[in-house]
Amino acid sequence: MSLSTALFRSGQAPRRRANDSDMRLFVANWKMHMTRRQASAYAEDFGERIGDGIPGAEIVIAPPFTAIDAARDPHGRWSLAGQNLSEHAAGPFTGEISGEMLADADCRYVIVGHSERRTLFGEDGPRLARKLARARERGLVPIYCLGETREQREAGSTDATLARQIETLAEDPAGEPLVIAYEPVWAIGTGLAATPRDAALAAARIVELLPKRRDLRVLYGGSVKPGNAAELLDGERVDGFLVGGASLDAGAFAAIARAG
Ligand code: PEP
């Protein structure tokens, strides 16, 4: 029995291993929301709310592709992420966007394997592995999403699901920075967040499954709101959040980023 399997059963979460980066990371996933005009207004509002920035918090915004420019912060208080990228480097792939294009648009991160991509667009392990490789070729840091469905959770296979999804990282260079977003599918957009204990246990298990990673941050995602952010961060175990719905409100996202 693995350490975290035992801990899942005993109800105790181990303290998280120290990472190279001490900053907590807060990522806004705007999904298919925000025109350019709305993104500019958000950026101005959000900038006023965070002033010179939030100590100890690294902030990232993942706009739709057309609003990446409009969401940029001229003062560098947040960086940008793509919400997805093609598994191909370039070529006749109508409607796709490449890692090179995201890097050229100033993105530092890219979300890979969000559950909406997995379930609605059929993205699977091998394809996600190719996307990770394309991201690395362009120096983009992947925010690799994983998490169990309600059925998997009820069947007691959360642990096996996380382990399988982490196999997709087998070829990803262990020396490079990596962000994992643990997003239980049943918690995304439902208003039903994981408990702080379950989020901490999953984060601990993910760290345990990636023993060679030196620069790893594990985020939690799924119905994070200003009201539950502080308890979900739970001290040492969760390194930040990937936030969907609540990130569309500049005030709510600023409050969440301050919760650490
Ligand atoms: C997400 O889509 O990554 C997400 C966490 O959404 P929400 O915060 O709305 O649950």
Side-chain angles (χ1 to χ4, degrees):
M1 192 192 308
S2 78
L3 169 65
S4 62
T5 305
L7 289 163
F8 264 114
R9 290 187 188 162
S10 75
Q12 296 167 7
R15 288 180 93 72
R16 186 177 57 78
R17 177 184 70 173
N19 289 316
D20 287 355
S21 172
D22 288 337
M23 300 274 270
R24 283 202 158 123
L25 179 61
F26 299 91
V27 183
N29 176 14
W30 286 356
K31 310 193 187 195
M32 201 170 74
H33 298 286
M34 299 274 187
T35 61
R36 291 173 51 78
R37 206 158 67 96
Q38 290 166 333
S40 297
Y42 182 111
E44 199 174 320
D45 182 10
F46 188 66
E48 278 171 20
R49 289 173 188 274
I50 66 167
D52 292 335
I54 300 175
E58 180 185 347
I59 297 169
V60 177
I61 297 181
F65 302 132
T66 50
I68 287 175
D69 253 350
R72 177 179 288 112
D73 178 22
H75 308 291
R77 291 164 295 179
W78 62 85
S79 55
L80 298 163
Q83 294 180 15
N84 181 30
L85 85 168
S86 172
E87 67 194 279
H88 303 285
F93 303 105
T94 301
E96 291 289 271
I97 189 148
S98 70
E100 181 181 19
M101 292 164 184
L102 293 176
D104 181 55
D106 260 6
C107 289
R108 183 161 171 209
Y109 294 91
V110 62
I111 298 172
V112 176
H114 189 280
S115 75
E116 287 153 16
R117 302 296 317 173
R118 290 181 191 261
T119 58
L120 302 175
F121 299 95
E123 297 196 357
D124 55 6
R127 185 182 303 176
L128 296 176
R130 290 192 289 276
K131 289 184 179 222
L132 289 164
R134 299 294 83 74
R136 293 298 188 191
E137 282 164 10
R138 294 296 166 182
L140 297 162
V141 178
I143 301 171
Y144 178 64
C145 301
L146 44 74
E148 81 285 2
T149 62
R150 175 171 300 287
E151 294 71 30
Q152 289 164 333
R153 180 181 173 81
E154 285 171 358
S157 58
T158 296
D159 203 50
T161 302
L162 299 185
R164 184 174 42 75
Q165 291 172 330
I166 277 182
E167 280 170 19
T168 299
L169 292 162
E171 303 295 319
D172 189 61
E176 296 293 320
L178 175 68
V179 179
I180 301 261
Y182 168 62
E183 300 208 300
V185 178
W186 48 268
I188 297 178
T190 60
L192 187 72
T195 63
R197 175 180 162 272
D198 281 352
L201 284 167
R205 177 62 175 145
I206 288 163
V207 170
E208 187 185 59
L209 286 165
L210 291 164
K212 295 197 180 126
R213 293 277 172 176
R214 286 187 302 280
D215 188 352
L216 170 66
R217 281 182 287 182
V218 182
L219 312 184
Y220 167 76
S223 297
V224 175
K225 309 270 183 266
N228 61 13
E231 59 171 9
L232 277 163
L233 282 173
D234 188 28
E236 308 256 328
R237 295 166 191 130
V238 172
D239 296 316
F241 297 128
L242 178 54
V243 188
S247 77
L248 296 171
D249 179 313
F253 187 50
I256 288 169
R258 282 190 204 285

